[in-house]
Amino acid sequence: MKTKQIIVSLVLFCVGLVSNAQTARIKGIILDKNNKPVEGVSINYQEKGTITNENGFYLLTIPANQKITLVFTHISLKRATLKLELKPNEDYEYNFHMSDSDELLGEVIITSGNRKRVEGIVAIEPILIRQIPGANAGVENILKTLPGVNSNNELSTQYSVRGGNYDENLVYVNEIEVYRPFLVRSGQQEGLSFTNTEMVQNVDFSAGGFQAKYGDKLSSVLDITYRIPTKFAAALEASLLGGSLTVEGVSKNQKWANITGIRYRDNSLLVNSQETDANYNPTFADIQTYLTFTPNAKWQFGFLGNISQNTYDFQPLSRQTNFGTIDEPIALQVFYEGQEKDKYHTYFGAFKTSFNINENNTLKFIGSAYHTLEEEYFDIFAAYYLGEIDTNIGSETVGDVTFSRGIGTQLNHGRNNLDALIVNAEVKGFHKIETNAIEWGLKYTREDIRDRLVEWEVIDSAGFSINPPRDFPVNDQPYSPYTGPLVPYQNVRATNFVTINRISGYGQWSKKSSLGSSEVWYNAGVRMQHWQVSGDNITSNSQTVFSPRGQFAIKPDWEKDMVFRVSGGFYYQPPFYRELRDYYGVVQPDVKAQQSIQLIVGNDYSFKMWDRPFKLVSELYYKTLTDVNAYTVDNVRIRYRADNVTDAFVYGADFRINGEFVPGTESWFSFGYLKTEENIENKGYIARPTDQRLKFGILFQDYVPNIPSLKMYLNLVYNTGLPGGSPSYADPYDYQQRLRDYRRADVGFSYVLTENNAKRPDGHWLKRFKDLSIGMEIFNLFNNQNAITNTWVRDVYSKVQYGIPNYMTTRVFNVKLAARL
């Protein structure tokens, strides 16, 4: 309790603090004429200074409100100088190219923040992604601690943003859109995220109101850049959940560079902590490579390739879940026979070339192909007992089921196959005209989908088959005789050969200017997409949408360092294949693009506390949605209605304070409020499946003062409960109860053996490593029971359907080794 009071007091103190510190920071990346990061550049001002790291990055604190001269020197490049003046608490980014000749960079008086701050983009440091613990560590693990980003499934890399679903998020790697498998139904099937964190240089995230240059989705953009190596390096990581090996290097002439990573993951440690006793044999592995060729200062060529193989074998044995109330506890016991065998093989390749006509004009061409082969085969028979629990403390059978109130069985069968090929070709341009920036792009996409869906479920209650409640007579045996046909309770059969051709483009204008003594930034743009759906036994249909968007930011000439932002526009999401397929697997080609009108108002306040930099970001947002394609969520599987008869709205507020709560480390506290409801066929508004009202997130780093080599990393998330869904064929308006709140804390402890390498003599074996650490992680530290969905069970006597929570993982311990050369 004392710890909670300290944390709350600390947050309130930070929010209310106003600092008068008279310093500022300058940071950035230094490149050579071949656009490669330069390591070892010295940046000095009087007695203060720093050097760039292996990524060319530097950070230096300097006095504010006075003109100073920074000197940049390097052993093989010529000296450069920069005169500048920053305002108090300014956090400015300055990137430039060092040349082979002496250079005077000019005099710059800077009173503004950087581009990301103006656009409302959250930048995440790659080292933070690698250090923070999580059951599925990586970029997505960090995103889930941000306000407005929600997930109640630690085994999944999927996330929802400000009321959207998993299919409404854009993910780019090196400006190339990446995709996730189509058929995945649960988090434990997913395996590895596409992003290899050991290859990452930059991670940018926008939770809404993004510019027209990004694609046609409703919720968010995750923009990742892989680094271009400047010298040989290697990284190894191993734990009880798997391991990875990454190697990078460059050619002697510095024109060729490559970074390649191999990963393997085994989720058995986590899945075996769930309630279902099972034989589980997963194999998740991938290899990823990024190759670049830079023949001169004008041209650069790059290839990004990935091969992924996920094999998931699952044989459930038994399960017992206790629920109900203290006065009337109920238990569900399930005994299984059968198994599930799933395979997901994906192949991805992308080619990108950049042509720098001059410093003001750049052209890019991007071509990519994504091929996925997926199959899900399962036959699982379940016999369930719904009964009363012995609660007599002195009884020998306390906790056991003593009387069965209902007995039933169900058989689930599936033979699902999917073969999808997605090909993209895109050309993009960037032009700078004085203080104006013009960006444009044109893209062609072809999606070829071959899908066979065969799923059925038979439910038996007290020895009698249960008919589906729609379109069939009620079978209420043994109370009355039944002579109708015996049919599965659920039966989905479809074979779809679908082709979708898309042409999309965008154009946008950006400008930095002044308004009186304040600085302002403008951005306006428009996107267009035309698509056509065709295929076997499908009536061809085509549609076109236009999406105007804009951003405005102003930095008043105040003592306090604040930026105010307004962004929004019309956002359309043309349907992807999954959104065209209805509950019965039939493709509906006339599904329209979902439309969202968004308005986001934000404030970015940078200040100093304890003579260290901090930032408080606040945003209010509102979205009105029309032509919504309503859906249900089961674990991570989304099933759409494939119509546009729904309207919806979303509004909320996000707050995040981040900074150096502990010197030299970044931590943050976040809070979000959200409300989203939908109106299906004018029946009235009900909560959407992603209506997660409150969210608290903490990402915290610390170390032991007397043992600085011993680090601590905390990842804590609290989300209020989501709607619990409804049984198949049921009206969702009749089922609006919520799941329990999601509470999870993951903590990691790491001992860095190379912390004191600078003090060690030459030749010491640890000096061979840039980093060598060993650690322990505790997932679900407080052993909370979190539910992802409900299993619906019918009581044969009362004919009531109970929602039995499907609980996620319990407390799990992991050990970890990390080494970098």
Side-chain angles (χ1 to χ4, degrees):
M1 186 65 185
K2 185 177 180 181
T3 302
K4 293 182 179 178
Q5 293 175 346
I6 293 174
I7 292 175
V8 172
S9 301
L10 182 61
V11 174
L12 294 176
F13 174 71
C14 294
V15 174
L17 185 65
V18 177
S19 174
N20 294 315
Q22 298 298 308
T23 60
R25 298 201 309 177
I26 182 172
K27 62 183 178 181
I29 296 176
I30 300 177
L31 307 174
D32 61 17
K33 64 181 181 180
N34 295 321
N35 289 322
K36 294 183 177 181
V38 182
E39 182 180 5
V41 177
S42 296
I43 303 99
N44 295 285
Y45 161 71
Q46 293 182 355
E47 301 297 326
K48 297 182 179 180
T50 186
I51 60 173
T52 58
N53 64 14
E54 60 184 1
N55 297 318
F57 177 80
Y58 70 93
L59 174 70
L60 182 64
T61 300
I62 59 176
N65 287 335
Q66 60 178 282
K67 292 183 179 180
I68 67 169
T69 300
L70 287 182
V71 180
F72 300 81
T73 57
H74 188 265
I75 190 172
S76 60
L77 297 173
K78 298 298 183 179
R79 183 175 180 266
T81 59
L82 172 68
K83 295 182 179 180
L84 74 164
E85 179 181 347
L86 302 183
K87 279 196 168 184
N89 304 322
E90 184 65 73
D91 199 8
Y92 179 72
E93 182 173 342
Y94 188 78
N95 307 316
F96 74 99
H97 292 73
M98 287 194 78
S99 65
D100 296 331
S101 58
D102 288 349
E103 185 175 7
L104 179 63
L105 299 178
E107 182 174 328
V108 183
I109 299 177
I110 304 169
T111 59
S112 65
N114 57 39
R115 175 188 64 84
K116 297 177 182 179
R117 185 183 185 194
V118 169
E119 296 178 9
I121 292 175
V122 178
I124 302 174
E125 293 294 332
I127 190 171
L128 196 65
I129 298 170
R130 294 192 293 265
Q131 291 174 339
I132 300 303
N136 217 328
V139 176
E140 298 83 1
N141 182 50
I142 302 298
L143 293 183
K144 294 174 184 180
T145 66
L146 298 178
V149 182
N150 295 305
S151 174
N152 62 341
N153 188 344
E154 62 270 13
L155 293 178
S156 173
T157 59
Q158 306 306 315
Y159 52 90
S160 63
V161 179
R162 292 180 176 174
N165 68 31
Y166 307 140
D167 292 335
E168 296 178 11
N169 305 311
L170 284 162
V171 180
Y172 293 97
V173 174
N174 292 354
E175 301 181 85
I176 303 159
E177 186 174 358
V178 298
Y179 305 89
R180 66 186 182 97
F182 290 72
L183 297 181
V184 168
R185 293 178 292 110
S186 66
Q188 62 197 43
Q189 296 172 315
E190 282 189 23
L192 296 163
S193 165
F194 181 91
T195 307
N196 188 327
T197 56
E198 291 290 347
M199 301 170 65
V200 168
Q201 177 171 303
N202 296 314
V203 176
D204 297 333
F205 178 75
S206 173
F210 41 86
Q211 297 179 356
K213 65 181 179 181
Y214 296 111
D216 297 290
K217 297 285 188 179
L218 296 181
S219 292
S220 73
V221 173
L222 177 62
D223 191 6
I224 298 168
T225 303
Y226 280 177
R227 67 177 177 271
I228 300 176
T230 58
K231 62 180 183 180
F232 174 81
L236 172 68
E237 187 174 290
S239 75
L240 298 179
L241 292 172
S244 66
L245 174 64
T246 306
V247 179
E248 58 187 274
V250 296
S251 62
K252 290 183 178 180
N253 61 9
Q254 299 292 310
K255 293 185 177 182
W256 292 89
N258 176 257
I259 180 170
T260 298
I262 301 174
R263 297 181 294 170
Y264 171 81
R265 182 175 176 86
D266 184 340
N267 277 345
S268 298
L269 183 68
L270 295 167
V271 176
N272 288 336
S273 72
Q274 294 180 289
E275 284 187 322
T276 301
D277 184 19
N279 295 322
Y280 179 69
N281 182 27
T283 302
F284 305 135
D286 81 341
I287 180 171
Q288 199 163 148
T289 187
Y290 179 42
L291 175 68
T292 58
F293 173 58
T294 310
N296 51 53
K298 289 185 174 293
W299 287 94
Q300 185 177 81
F301 303 89
F303 172 78
L304 176 64
N306 174 268
I307 298 175
S308 174
Q309 176 178 298
N310 292 356
T311 302
Y312 173 83
D313 294 339
F314 179 64
Q315 185 180 10
L317 301 175
S318 63
R319 163 188 172 181
Q320 177 171 330
T321 303
N322 298 331
F323 65 106
T325 64
I326 296 177
D327 295 331
E328 189 179 358
I330 304 173
L332 172 71
Q333 285 184 312
V334 185
F335 299 93
Y336 298 97
E337 294 181 13
Q339 62 181 334
E340 178 175 352
K341 289 182 175 291
D342 303 331
K343 294 180 181 179
Y344 310 94
H345 294 178
T346 60
Y347 308 88
F348 177 83
F351 175 80
K352 175 183 174 182
T353 181
S354 299
F355 176 49
N356 297 317
I357 303 172
N358 51 49
E359 62 180 7
N360 294 322
N361 297 278
T362 301
L363 295 176
K364 297 179 181 179
F365 171 78
I366 301 172
S368 67
Y370 173 83
H371 187 203
T372 179
L373 298 170
E374 305 176 22
E375 62 179 44
E376 291 183 329
Y377 294 171
F378 55 86
D379 288 285
I380 297 179
F381 174 82
Y384 63 86
Y385 297 80
L386 195 63
E388 298 177 357
I389 301 174
D390 184 357
T391 57
N392 188 351
I393 301 298
S395 172
E396 295 181 356
T397 60
V398 61
D400 295 337
V401 176
T402 57
F403 175 74
S404 294
R405 294 175 49 189
I407 301 175
T409 61
Q410 64 184 46
L411 175 61
N412 288 281
H413 168 91
R415 294 293 185 272
N416 301 329
N417 295 86
L418 184 136
D419 183 348
L421 176 64
I422 303 174
V423 179
N424 297 283
E426 181 178 14
V427 59
K428 304 169 72 171
F430 174 84
H431 311 281
K432 186 176 181 180
I433 306 172
E434 296 180 348
T435 59
N436 300 279
I438 306 296
E439 297 178 70
W440 58 271
L442 186 64
K443 181 179 180 180
Y444 169 73
T445 302
R446 181 180 177 87
E447 303 163 8
D448 287 318
I449 313 292
R450 299 182 178 185
D451 181 23
R452 186 192 72 163
L453 185 65
V454 179
E455 289 187 21
W456 51 259
E457 178 185 28
V458 175
I459 298 179
D460 178 284
S461 185
F464 299 95
S465 179
I466 304 299
N467 279 355
R470 297 180 184 175
D471 304 324
F472 288 93
V474 175
N475 178 2
D476 60 351
Q477 295 184 81
Y479 307 105
S480 61
Y482 175 75
T483 58
L486 293 177
V487 295
Y489 190 77
Q490 293 187 71
N491 189 15
V492 178
R493 295 175 182 268
T495 300
N496 301 313
F497 288 9
V498 180
T499 300
I500 306 175
N501 290 288
R502 305 179 191 269
I503 297 177
S504 60
Y506 70 88
Q508 69 175 42
W509 161 79
S510 303
K511 180 181 177 64
K512 175 186 175 183
S513 183
S514 60
L515 185 64
S517 60
S518 302
E519 291 185 288
V520 294
W521 293 262
Y522 307 93
N523 175 270
V526 62
R527 287 193 66 85
M528 178 278 298
Q529 183 171 143
H530 173 83
W531 72 98
Q532 182 181 47
V533 181
S534 60
D536 293 357
N537 301 316
I538 294 175
T539 302
S540 180
N541 186 58
S542 61
Q543 301 177 57
T544 305
V545 294
F546 293 88
S547 174
R549 309 173 187 179
Q551 293 181 335
F552 173 79
I554 181 170
K555 185 178 188 302
D557 185 20
W558 296 347
E559 184 70 22
K560 297 176 182 177
D561 182 9
M562 287 192 175
V563 173
F564 296 89
R565 298 187 302 268
V566 178
S567 61
F570 289 78
Y571 291 77
Y572 287 89
Q573 181 164 318
F576 201 50
Y577 171 72
R578 189 165 24 232
E579 297 159 70
L580 295 172
R581 200 174 67 179
D582 64 16
Y583 289 153
Y584 301 97
V586 179
V587 170
Q588 305 294 338
D590 57 347
V591 174
K592 300 177 184 178
Q594 301 181 83
Q595 175 185 306
S596 172
I597 301 176
Q598 303 183 12
L599 177 65
I600 297 97
V601 179
N603 171 259
D604 187 310
Y605 173 36
S606 296
F607 59 94
K608 288 290 183 69
M609 180 171 63
W610 308 315
D611 200 29
R612 297 194 292 272
F614 284 83
K615 180 183 291 187
L616 174 65
V617 179
S618 310
E619 287 191 331
L620 304 176
Y621 57 90
Y622 179 81
K623 307 178 189 178
T624 178
L625 297 97
T626 55
D627 291 329
V628 174
N629 191 351
Y631 59 90
T632 60
V633 180
D634 182 7
N635 205 299
V636 298
R637 186 185 197 182
I638 299 176
R639 283 189 167 178
Y640 291 91
R641 287 173 55 102
D643 57 30
N644 300 100
V645 297
T646 303
D647 296 326
F649 67 83
V650 185
Y651 63 80
D654 289 339
F655 305 92
R656 184 173 76 110
I657 181 171
N658 68 295
E660 295 184 14
F661 290 94
V662 176
T665 65
E666 182 183 15
S667 302
W668 63 67
F669 297 80
S670 61
F671 166 76
Y673 171 79
L674 159 75
K675 182 176 182 179
T676 178
E677 294 185 343
E678 62 187 6
N679 180 5
I680 304 175
E681 296 182 305
N682 292 320
K683 294 181 180 179
Y685 282 93
I686 59 173
R688 302 188 78 196
T690 54
D691 184 33
Q692 200 149 36
R693 293 296 173 84
L694 296 179
K695 189 267 177 65
F696 297 91
I698 297 177
L699 186 149
F700 198 83
Q701 301 184 74
D702 201 354
Y703 59 87
V704 179
N706 295 329
I707 315 175
S709 298
L710 183 58
K711 319 284 186 181
M712 187 278 293
Y713 308 98
L714 174 66
N715 177 359
L716 186 149
V717 174
Y718 169 81
N719 299 326
T720 53
L722 287 167
S726 60
S728 300
Y729 297 109
D731 188 343
Y733 282 80
D734 296 333
Y735 293 85
Q736 283 297 296
Q737 67 269 33
R738 290 178 176 264
L739 299 170
R740 62 173 61 187
D741 295 350
Y742 182 85
R743 300 163 296 169
R744 185 176 179 88
D746 298 328
V747 65
F749 301 93
S750 177
Y751 186 81
V752 183
L753 299 173
T754 52
E755 180 81 11
N756 298 314
N757 264 7
K759 301 178 182 179
R760 292 190 172 99
D762 293 339
H764 194 283
W765 69 275
L766 283 174
K767 281 220 164 186
R768 301 174 184 175
F769 298 91
K770 290 182 180 179
D771 174 70
L772 180 62
S773 61
I774 56 175
M776 180 184 71
E777 297 174 324
I778 307 175
F779 304 135
N780 198 357
L781 176 64
F782 301 114
N783 202 28
N784 293 313
Q785 276 194 316
N786 297 309
I788 176 65
T789 53
N790 282 325
T791 294
W792 297 94
V793 177
R794 182 178 184 270
D795 188 334
V796 65
Y797 298 107
S798 66
K799 300 182 182 179
V800 173
Q801 293 209 79
Y802 291 95
I804 315 300
N806 295 315
Y807 292 119
M808 298 300 296
T809 59
T810 56
R811 184 189 295 120
V812 173
F813 294 84
N814 184 37
V815 293
K816 186 177 180 181
L817 169 69
R820 289 175 178 82
L821 299 176

